[in-house]
Amino acid sequence: MTMPESSNPYGRPQQPQPYGQAQPYAQPQPQPYAQQPYGQAAPQGPYAPYPSAPVAVEMPRGVKHARIGLYVLGGLNVLGGVLMLAAAGVKGDVDGTSATQLYATGTVALVLSVVAFVVAAKFGSGGNGVRITGAVVGGLVLLNALVSLATGQLTGGPGLAIGALVLVGCLKKEAADWFNRPRS
């Protein structure tokens, strides 16, 4: 059974009009890819290709939190390192800890603070190495806090929270995507 042409929603197939006669709503019809001659480019849209402007990408929330945690960690380590070095210089032995141990611990705290500040500053522009370094710093702080808490020292609480925050923030998939993004 054939349908009458009046019920065809697309109308009758159009016949080419003689030269000079206007075609209502005529637009050039692109040929399917298979019917194009060899070597001819595919039909393009009405606009020329234009390179898009760089899109501003915002740092993910977990990465921002890890960055803030590194800044806080750096500040606390500066404070702790200076206090340990001052205590070693003034008193010598403090609660059974020798001055040499205080100097060493204070120096390590100051070095860790510098690393934390540098890594946090590189979060906006650094690559995957910055993310890995941040995760290592967070893991070391977390491990140190767990050892402190296991030995009965209650000073490991802030390190536990900050170390976990930095470690988790650096190991998420969104962090990997952020640090592996294309840069201009």
Side-chain angles (χ1 to χ4, degrees), residues 45 53 67 85 90 95 113 121 139 141 171:
R67 184 183 203 179
L85 291 176
V90 172
D95 296 332
S113 70
V141 170
L171 294 180

Side-chain angles (χ1 to χ4, degrees), residues 100-114:
T100 307
Q101 288 174 329
L102 287 174
Y103 278 124
T105 307
T107 304
V108 169
L110 290 176
V111 168
L112 186 60
S113 70
V114 170

Side-chain angles (χ1 to χ4, degrees), residues 56-69:
V57 179
E58 187 176 343
M59 188 181 296
R61 182 179 294 173
V63 177
K64 284 182 185 179
H65 292 158
R67 184 183 203 179
I68 292 168

